[in-house]
Amino acid sequence: MSNTVKAILDQKGRDVVTVGPNTTAAEAAKILNSRKIGAVVILGADDRISGIFTERDLVNAVAKFGKECLDQPVVSLMTSKVFRCHEETTVNELMELMTSRRFRHVPVEAHGKLTGIISIGDVVKTRIAEVEREAEEIKAYIAG
Ligand code: AMP
């Protein structure tokens, strides 16, 4: 059986690095760098998810607008249509979503509020652990 988002969050924690919409791209880049992460979630006034800004968005903005984009607020460079998951979402469903939509981060939402974030690294780590466990079970079964 596939692990769920809940199992991942129970292990890695539920902290998410967030910024306000008026944070500049340069400030967001410093946060991505210092926290060693690939994405920040942008929260609106009501603390609801209003967008996601990842290292890919930064690369796209520099390529498109040049270094002037660094002074722009993230709200003008972020992705606003954010795909979210829930604690009950399975790792298999996440893999399907990340692969088909080609993104590496999925915020977790409960009752309209941000309660965690799953990266592709978390998914790969969990999947490897699942495969190793399955292999051990098969070996134990064969050894009888
Ligand atoms: P990533 O691979 O996560 O760095 O993101 C690649 C692109 O997809 C960037 O433009 C992100 O803003 C966007 N993106 C990342 N995660 C999500 C998500 N959960 N929902 C919608 N767009 C996303």
Side-chain angles (χ1 to χ4, degrees):
M1 213 189 73
S2 178
N3 269 323
T4 59
V5 164
K6 181 179 184 310
I8 298 177
L9 293 182
D10 283 347
Q11 226 184 13
K12 79 160 207 169
R14 287 171 167 76
D15 283 351
V16 185
V17 180
T18 63
V19 298
N22 295 321
T23 307
T24 65
E27 287 164 346
K30 278 188 190 154
I31 294 169
L32 294 178
N33 176 256
S34 66
R35 305 294 293 262
K36 298 187 171 58
I37 53 174
V40 286
V41 174
I42 292 86
L43 291 184
D46 53 0
D47 264 5
R48 298 208 165 229
I49 299 171
S50 78
I52 187 163
F53 180 80
T54 78
E55 50 202 1
R56 176 70 53 79
D57 297 310
L58 186 65
V59 169
N60 288 347
V62 171
K64 198 167 166 190
F65 306 116
K67 63 183 188 312
E68 281 68 37
C69 75
L70 294 173
D71 297 325
Q72 284 185 38
V74 281
V75 68
S76 65
L77 304 170
M78 69 187 191
T79 303
S80 321
K81 185 175 184 263
V82 182
F83 286 81
R84 303 119 201 254
C85 65
H86 306 280
E87 300 236 349
E88 299 73 33
T89 306
T90 65
V91 171
N92 285 346
E93 287 168 334
L94 279 179
M95 283 196 296
E96 165 67 25
L97 183 66
M98 287 178 168
T99 310
S100 63
R101 299 276 167 185
R102 292 176 184 274
F103 48 61
R104 296 165 290 179
H105 302 89
V106 184
V108 186
E109 200 178 51
H111 309 294
K113 293 275 152 73
L114 179 66
T115 59
I117 190 163
I118 305 289
S119 74
I120 202 161
D122 299 322
V123 169
V124 169
K125 192 174 156 200
T126 307
R127 191 63 197 122
I128 288 172
E130 280 176 357
V131 169
E132 281 173 353
R133 198 188 58 229
E134 283 160 15
E136 285 307 320
E137 282 167 7
I138 291 168
K139 269 196 230 160
Y141 176 76
I142 292 169

